[in-house]
Amino acid sequence: MFNLAQDDPMVMHMALALSFEDMDPRRPTPSPESNQRPAYHYSSALRLLADAVGCEEPCEDFDSLLTTLWLMVLYEQQFGHSQSQGCSNHLKGAASLLQHRMKKFLQFPAPDHDVDTPTCALTRKSGLDTRPMLSLYSARMLVWISGSDAAAASTGGGGHFNRTLMSLLSEAQPEDSGANLNDPFEPPPLSPLQSYMRMHRYSNPLYRVAWATHILKPNY
């Protein structure tokens, strides 16, 4: 995540907004600007996110977008209004991103095919020219946002993201699931929960792949 923040101002602004909001009240003598810094970085990230989402060009790198949305949800959960309106709005925004930009990326390989499937920790680190597929990181961010949405739903402020995600996962049946319900020799289609668990398993190698890339990176 912090590697993304070094390259993407949108993610950096949200990291700073969370950091200042958490640290400034703990300072013995807060500066007059301390109350303004979180709001400045938060609003800056919002503007950059709106520009990125509103861009007409097709986006296939969702690492930064999903990270920014998750950090905004986290910010609202920790420091936002008690009615969770900001959190709910960001979860609706994440659901809209799924619906309009990410449909074709929501097919994930079966566990027994994972070894043969090319994956990358981050989209921008990938030189792959294969069928559309999310990075391991983006898939894990979907899992994290899904968890935040489930938590928000318990207080009446969420549910939009998971409803959209489950619906799209049901539509995006992978090639190894049964497309013809009348053919007894084909495997049955995956349930939404099975598709979700497949996405979760797909993201599991993230830390191993990311650390291996970091450790094996040459120092020159």
Side-chain angles (χ1 to χ4, degrees):
M1 184 178 297
F2 289 103
N3 287 338
L4 285 176
Q6 293 175 21
D7 298 330
D8 197 308
M10 179 169 56
V11 180
M12 179 61 80
H13 277 302
M14 275 315 302
L16 291 173
L18 277 162
S19 300
F20 282 130
E21 191 73 67
D22 185 60
M23 292 188 302
D24 281 345
R26 305 170 190 264
R27 301 183 190 277
T29 55
S31 64
E33 299 84 10
S34 60
N35 291 332
Q36 301 175 6
R37 287 186 295 198
Y40 165 76
H41 288 291
Y42 187 95
S43 60
S44 297
L46 272 175
R47 286 193 296 270
L48 291 171
L49 179 63
D51 291 342
V53 172
C55 181
E56 294 295 333
E57 297 180 3
C59 174
E60 296 189 357
D61 181 359
F62 297 99
D63 298 342
S64 295
L65 293 177
L66 292 173
T67 300
T68 302
L69 281 165
W70 180 74
L71 289 174
M72 287 179 173
V73 170
L74 182 64
Y75 183 97
E76 292 293 343
Q77 287 177 332
Q78 293 189 3
F79 309 112
H81 194 273
S82 59
Q83 299 300 319
S84 304
Q85 188 60 46
C87 180
S88 178
N89 289 339
H90 293 317
L91 290 169
K92 289 178 181 178
S96 178
L97 181 67
L98 270 178
Q99 181 72 45
H100 299 293
R101 295 291 185 95
M102 300 183 67
K103 282 184 179 181
K104 67 178 182 179
F105 297 93
L106 294 179
Q107 288 190 8
F108 301 97
D112 55 346
H113 295 163
D114 284 352
V115 175
D116 301 324
T117 303
T119 57
C120 62
L122 294 171
T123 302
R124 64 190 60 189
K125 301 290 186 182
S126 171
L128 303 176
D129 186 19
T130 60
R131 68 180 181 86
M133 182 174 289
L134 283 181
S135 68
L136 299 175
Y137 179 86
S138 285
R140 182 48 60 101
M141 291 310 303
L142 291 179
V143 173
W144 286 4
I145 295 173
S146 174
S148 298
D149 185 63
S154 66
T155 61
H160 314 90
F161 181 83
N162 279 330
R163 282 195 296 270
T164 302
L165 178 61
M166 290 300 187
S167 174
L168 294 178
L169 286 174
S170 297
E171 296 175 11
Q173 288 291 333
E175 296 176 357
D176 61 329
S177 67
N180 185 0
L181 297 178
N182 297 321
D183 189 343
F185 298 103
E186 282 197 6
L190 298 177
S191 69
L193 181 58
Q194 288 173 319
S195 296
Y196 182 92
M197 293 307 299
R198 181 173 286 196
M199 178 184 73
H200 193 289
R201 285 193 296 267
Y202 169 79
S203 71
N204 279 342
L206 170 63
Y207 304 106
R208 172 175 53 81
V209 173
W211 276 108
T213 303
H214 176 74
I215 293 172
L216 297 177
K217 184 178 179 180
N219 295 319
Y220 55 81

